[in-house]
Amino acid sequence: MALGALKDLLGDTFEGLTPVPETKQVTVKSHSRTRVIGQPATSVSGFSYEFTQWPTSQANNAASGEVVLLSWDGSDGSWTGRVTGALSALGIFLVANSTKPVAFRSERGTKYGPFQKGT
């Protein structure tokens, strides 16, 4: 999608595209560990730690996800995008971020929308 079309749809600030990290808590239970089969086991005590998990994608450089055609008031036609995950999640994203009524169509021809922020 061209930058101008994206600005037209989401506004100039792209607020909804700002990644937000999550703080994850990991707890490791105490256990025994055998480094070499046949050797005695050593005891590992339990511990906890936190880390920051940033949003990631399973995509590589190849095209991934399902193709959707997006159109909105003033879009001058349809724009192609790709969605990984549920199409309902795209609808939720558009309700939270779209400055104009936008609808999309899946590869199978199912129509969704219109969606708009504040509706």
Side-chain angles (χ1 to χ4, degrees), residues 31-56:
H31 60 280
S32 61
R33 177 181 295 156
T34 304
R35 303 282 293 170
V36 178
I37 296 174
Q39 297 295 317
T42 57
S43 180
V44 177
S45 58
F47 60 95
S48 305
Y49 63 95
E50 285 186 356
F51 67 96
T52 302
Q53 177 67 56
W54 287 89
T56 61

Side-chain angles (χ1 to χ4, degrees), residues 10-20 55 93-94 96-98 117:
L10 301 178
D12 288 332
T13 61
F14 301 106
E15 290 173 1
L17 299 178
T18 304
V20 178
F93 172 81
L94 292 171
N97 297 288
S98 177
K117 188 175 188 174

Side-chain angles (χ1 to χ4, degrees), residues 59-71:
N60 57 20
N61 289 336
S64 67
E66 182 176 352
V67 174
V68 293
L69 291 176
L70 298 119
S71 59

